[in-house]
Amino acid sequence: MKLLTHNMLTSKAIKQVNTGYPLLIEARDVKVSEVEFNPEFIAKIIPKVDWDCLRRAAEQLGHLDKIPASVPDTYENQQEFLKQAHHVLLEIELINGDLVCPESNRKFPVTDGIPNMLLREDEI
C-alpha cells in the first residue's frame, strides 16, 4: 500500500468513531521501489494530501529522511520538492502490517500491499 493511499483512508465508518484519521501504521514489511516520475501528477495531487499525516506515516515506516517539514508555496516549480514528494507518496510501500484506528484501536490488516478495511457486523 502506497502512502498516497494511506493518506486518503479513514475508519470513520465504525460505530462510535468520529474521525478515524489518520490511521496509525504498524509495519512488518516495507518495500521501496522505483516508480516513473511524473511531476504533473505530483503537482496536482499535493493539494489533496494531508502533509503532516504523510510525514507521520513516513516516520512510522522509518523513511522520514529528506521529506520537507512543509509544502513550499511555489512547489509546482520546485523539481527537487516534487521528486521528494513523489518518493514518499509512490515509492515507499507498506507490504504487510496493520492500520490502526486512532479512536477505537481496531486493527485493519495489510497483506501483500492490500489493506482490508471491511467492518464486522457489530461495527456497523
Side-chain angles (χ1 to χ4, degrees), residues 41-91:
F41 172 76
I42 298 300
K44 287 180 182 175
I45 201 73
I46 290 292
K48 297 173 176 63
V49 171
D50 179 333
W51 194 258
D52 291 332
C53 172
L54 181 65
R55 284 181 47 81
R56 280 192 300 276
E59 182 177 34
Q60 291 168 1
L61 297 182
H63 288 273
L64 186 58
D65 57 321
K66 297 183 183 176
I67 300 171
S70 61
V71 177
D73 290 335
T74 59
Y75 67 87
E76 301 95 337
N77 302 317
Q78 296 185 25
Q79 198 75 354
E80 189 57 34
F81 170 79
L82 293 175
K83 285 181 181 179
Q84 291 167 334
H86 164 83
H87 174 70
V88 71
L89 287 167
L90 300 176
E91 294 184 336

